[in-house]
Amino acid sequence: MLPVARAVVDVLSGKTGGPAALATVIGRSGSAPQVVGARLLLREDGVQVGTVGGGAIEEQVLDACRACLRDGSPRVVKAHLVRDLGMCCGGAMEVFVEYLAPEARLVLVGAGHVAQAVAPVAAGVGFRVVVVDDREDLLGHPAFAAAERHACDVDELDVAVPDLGERDYIVILTRDHARDERALAYLVRRPHRYLGMIGSVRKVHAIVARVLRREHELGRPPPDLSRVRAPVGIALGGRTPAEIAISIVAELVADRHGGSGAPMNVVPQAIARLGGAAAGPLAGREGDARDDG
């Protein structure tokens, strides 16, 4: 079991770089080849760790693991080893297959006040935080205690995070516009799922225009800006670093789960279904009485 446990940790921590399917024997009868609790892990790159018994039953489970990796949905494999699979051992097995995805990585380019507010909130909702800044004193801030830290300036991002991939989230929060611009110009051509940059509307217009003009002058096609969010975050109206952090992380969560960021309020529709404003006060008083106990 230890090799499988280690492999699970490697997947969830992002060490192996991709998802995996984990198969667990949850039921058996007769002379089935494995006990309840036996596990097999199949990584996206085809590496297998552990076994659920070998032979035809294991091949059927591996097929389920491959299907799980394709669609991300859990499933249960049930088979009678003789009747269904023609195996010489008797009995039956039931195997649960689940999808394991690595924690999403969030790279914060900059370690100032907003980054210090973002890091713990992002970690609390399941992001693995990486912080890049050339100011080592800021990297020592308690907010980054659990984060991976790199003492590099924006011109050294290829050294700090050379392995950027299509699952990575990046937020640019440096201390000046010139650094933000250099970071954006570099990162927009690197793999990413989400790339955000802090700043005013005026600043964003100016930086995007300069980046595109420079690319044109270099004779290169315009970069893909479809996953760039600037100004970063959802419009909550907050001004403090903590409020801005909530805005930024809310947008990250919405992107991760496919949410729109729109309010979920359905009270107007509920009132309309009850026949309009006349039903509202009665429904409200009844609700208040129940809520107060």
Side-chain angles (χ1 to χ4, degrees), residues 74-149:
R75 59 233 319 128
V76 174
V77 176
K78 296 181 180 180
H80 188 281
L81 303 185
V82 176
R83 184 177 62 248
D84 299 330
L85 301 177
M87 296 177 67
C88 59
C89 52
M93 290 179 64
E94 186 174 359
V95 182
F96 176 65
V97 179
E98 59 188 309
Y99 184 83
L100 300 181
E103 288 182 310
R105 182 168 65 167
L106 170 62
V107 179
L108 300 177
V109 183
H113 296 300
V114 175
Q116 291 164 14
V118 168
V121 179
V125 296
F127 285 94
R128 181 165 54 94
V129 179
V130 177
V131 187
V132 182
D133 199 299
D134 61 322
R135 298 167 292 178
E136 294 192 32
D137 56 326
L138 291 185
L139 291 177
H141 192 280
F144 305 134
E148 178 184 329
R149 290 163 283 182

Side-chain angles (χ1 to χ4, degrees), residues 2-270:
L2 189 56
V4 177
R6 286 174 175 157
V8 169
V9 171
D10 286 346
V11 169
L12 295 179
S13 66
K15 186 176 180 180
T16 57
L22 178 65
T24 305
V25 178
I26 58 174
R28 71 182 294 273
S29 63
S31 57
Q34 270 290 9
V35 298
V36 170
R39 290 183 172 89
L40 174 156
L41 180 137
L42 181 68
R43 290 191 341 214
E44 187 181 43
D45 60 7
V47 172
Q48 176 184 335
V49 182
T51 180
V52 291
I57 181 61
E58 185 152 299
E59 191 54 45
Q60 187 169 349
V61 169
L62 286 170
D63 285 343
C65 287
R66 296 182 189 104
C68 181
L69 284 169
R70 285 193 298 271
D71 62 25
S73 300
R75 59 233 319 128
V76 174
V77 176
K78 296 181 180 180
H80 188 281
L81 303 185
V82 176
R83 184 177 62 248
D84 299 330
L85 301 177
M87 296 177 67
C88 59
C89 52
M93 290 179 64
E94 186 174 359
V95 182
F96 176 65
V97 179
E98 59 188 309
Y99 184 83
L100 300 181
E103 288 182 310
R105 182 168 65 167
L106 170 62
V107 179
L108 300 177
V109 183
H113 296 300
V114 175
Q116 291 164 14
V118 168
V121 179
V125 296
F127 285 94
R128 181 165 54 94
V129 179
V130 177
V131 187
V132 182
D133 199 299
D134 61 322
R135 298 167 292 178
E136 294 192 32
D137 56 326
L138 291 185
L139 291 177
H141 192 280
F144 305 134
E148 178 184 329
R149 290 163 283 182
H150 297 278
C152 298
D153 207 344
V154 294
D155 298 318
E156 304 169 293
L157 288 172
D158 57 337
V159 175
V161 279
D163 58 340
L164 285 173
E166 296 292 338
R167 297 184 179 90
D168 288 324
Y169 292 75
I170 312 165
V171 178
I172 301 169
L173 305 155
T174 79
R175 59 187 178 273
D176 60 61
H177 292 193
R179 281 183 169 81
D180 286 349
E181 183 176 333
R182 297 205 304 273
L184 181 65
Y186 171 75
L187 292 167
V188 76
R189 289 199 173 276
R190 300 292 300 156
H192 59 272
R193 171 164 176 166
Y194 171 108
L195 175 56
M197 182 180 70
I198 198 168
S200 67
V201 171
R202 182 177 179 179
K203 166 190 166 180
V204 171
H205 278 284
I207 287 180
V208 169
R210 285 197 295 267
V211 168
L212 292 177
R213 184 168 59 249
R214 189 178 301 115
E215 294 295 304
H216 177 73
E217 291 170 352
L218 291 171
R220 299 194 296 209
D224 178 12
L225 300 174
S226 63
R227 287 169 289 178
V228 176
R229 305 288 185 269
V232 66
I234 291 174
L236 302 180
R239 298 286 184 181
T240 68
E243 290 171 331
I244 294 169
I246 292 170
S247 165
I248 292 172
V249 176
E251 187 169 72
L252 298 177
V253 172
D255 181 271
R256 184 171 63 183
H257 295 295
S260 67
M264 295 188 292
N265 179 32
V266 296
V267 171
Q269 294 94 313

